[in-house]
């Protein structure tokens, strides 16, 4: 072997990075059952998963199998691994399942290590200050309810938290996948309030089966003066082509100078209009003559203004058919 030539042992050496041990979540690690999501361990109460999710209820009803590290989900060494989920998504769901008041009263390190009875005692001491007037028994019951009662009992999902649109989208995805039906309803309600873009509404509706969102969002897009490529791309070629067809099915003139009965009904009365058939805006057909109260519509109404008030619903149903549902 020539000097300087690496030996076969040296050249074949491969540096292997040891696997990173999963870490405990800073916020959701307390009691009952351990889940691993990506590289994070979450330990939370089991009952909400059993009682509020038909998917987890079915899983937990199966006979448990003992492993070298104990029952699955019982220890950090043998957690229940949730594939296809990110830690951010799972944390968003937990923030809806488990409101925060308890964690604001007890130091998390203590919360992780002490027994339930000691936890109640700590809670009582924490709130029994001069400014607190709640009875001892009421505090105890409140603490116990927060720990052990599934949140669906009081139907207040997420009431103590202000989640973002992205977090509620996480909640919608997981609640749909795991059949947390009441939480899914809450997520849909919150997203209906937060999501303004009709394109985003359609994408969410098609992804998570919310058919009642699709038609109103398509109407809103059809009523826009113009459509940008950013409006059409997320919809996919087929849906975008149908939307263009819906929009092109109705032709709008550039101006509406008419003050006949139909136009007054469809677009509002013309500003300053009096007895129909007189003045510069008189309709050629005098047979329509009728008296109207003065309105606010300008004598020249743009096509864009007319489009914004046009009802495209019938045409959308005709063109899209069952794709709306």
């Amino acid at each position: 072997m020539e000097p300087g030539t690496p030996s076969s042992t040296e050249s074949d050496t491969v540096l292997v990075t040891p696997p990173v041990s999963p870490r405990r979540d800073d916020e959701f690690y307390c009691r009952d059952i351990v889940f691993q999501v990506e590289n994070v361990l979450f330990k939370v109460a089991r009952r909400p998963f059993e009682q509020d999710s038909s998917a987890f209820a079915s899983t937990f009803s199966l006979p448990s199998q003992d492993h070298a590290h104990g029952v699955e989900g019982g220890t950090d060494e043998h957690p229940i691994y949730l594939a296809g989920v990110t830690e951010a998504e799972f944390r968003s769901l937990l923030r809806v399942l488990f409101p925060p008041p308890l964690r604001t009263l007890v130091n998390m390190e203590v919360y992780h290590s002490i027994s339930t009875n000691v936890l109640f005692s700590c809670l009582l001491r924490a709130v029994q200050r001069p400014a607190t007037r709640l009875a001892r028994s009421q505090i105890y019951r409140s603490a116990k309810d927060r720990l052990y009662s599934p949140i669906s009992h009081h139907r207040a999902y997420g009431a103590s938290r202000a989640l973002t649109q992205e977090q509620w989208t996480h909640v919608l995805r997981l609640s749909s996948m795991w059949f947390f039906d009441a939480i899914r309803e809450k997520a849909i309600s919150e997203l209906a309030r937060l999501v303004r873009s009709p394109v985003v509404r359609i994408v969410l509706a098609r992804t998570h089966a919310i058919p009642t969102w699709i038609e109103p969002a398509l109407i809103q897009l059809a009523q826009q003066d113009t459509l940008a490529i950013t409006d059409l791309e997320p919809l996919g070629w087929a849906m975008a082509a149908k939307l263009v067809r819906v929009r092109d099915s109705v032709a709008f003139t550039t101006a509406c100078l008419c003050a006949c009965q139909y136009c007054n009904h469809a677009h509002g009365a013309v500003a300053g209009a009096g007895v129909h058939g007189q003045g510069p805006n008189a309709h050629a057909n005098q047979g329509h003559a009728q008296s109207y109260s003065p309105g606010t519509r300008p004598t020249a109404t743009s096509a864009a203004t007319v489009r914004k008030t046009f009802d495209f619903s019938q045409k959308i149903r005709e063109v899209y058919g069952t794709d709306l549902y």
Side-chain angles (χ1 to χ4, degrees), residues 109-267:
E109 292 182 1
V110 177
Y111 189 63
H112 293 166
S113 61
I114 60 179
S115 68
T116 301
N117 289 333
V118 176
L119 170 60
F120 288 156
S121 300
C122 290
L123 280 171
L124 292 172
R125 289 197 299 271
V127 298
Q128 285 180 338
R129 296 173 180 172
T132 302
R133 303 302 180 191
L134 295 177
R136 184 184 184 92
S137 60
Q138 184 177 351
I139 298 295
Y140 185 90
R141 285 196 304 271
S142 176
K144 186 174 180 179
D145 290 343
R146 288 290 187 178
L147 277 178
Y148 293 118
S149 296
I151 196 167
S152 57
H153 285 178
H154 48 79
R155 311 291 292 177
Y157 289 111
S160 302
R161 293 184 180 275
L163 273 64
T164 65
Q165 178 179 317
E166 181 182 21
Q167 289 171 326
W168 277 117
T169 303
H170 294 164
V171 174
L172 176 60
R173 189 177 96 83
L174 297 192
S175 62
S176 300
M177 181 169 65
W178 291 330
F179 301 100
F180 283 95
D181 295 336
I183 294 182
R184 172 181 157 85
E185 292 177 9
K186 175 64 178 177
I188 291 173
S189 174
E190 290 296 324
L191 287 170
R193 177 179 60 85
L194 293 170
V195 178
R196 300 301 181 193
S197 165
V199 175
V200 176
R201 279 176 172 258
I202 291 172
V203 172
L204 285 173
R206 296 174 71 191
T207 304
H208 302 291
I210 316 174
T212 55
W213 281 15
I214 297 178
E215 184 179 324
L218 287 172
I219 292 174
Q220 191 175 343
L221 288 173
Q223 290 175 336
Q224 287 184 188
D225 187 19
T226 59
L227 287 176
I229 190 66
T230 53
D231 294 323
L232 298 176
E233 280 184 334
L235 302 182
W237 184 90
M239 178 165 273
K242 289 180 179 180
L243 178 60
V244 172
R245 178 183 168 189
V246 168
R247 287 171 57 87
D248 291 346
S249 67
V250 182
F252 299 102
T253 58
T254 56
C256 177
L257 305 178
C258 179
C260 70
Q261 182 177 2
Y262 172 80
C263 290
N264 276 284
H265 175 74
H267 315 311

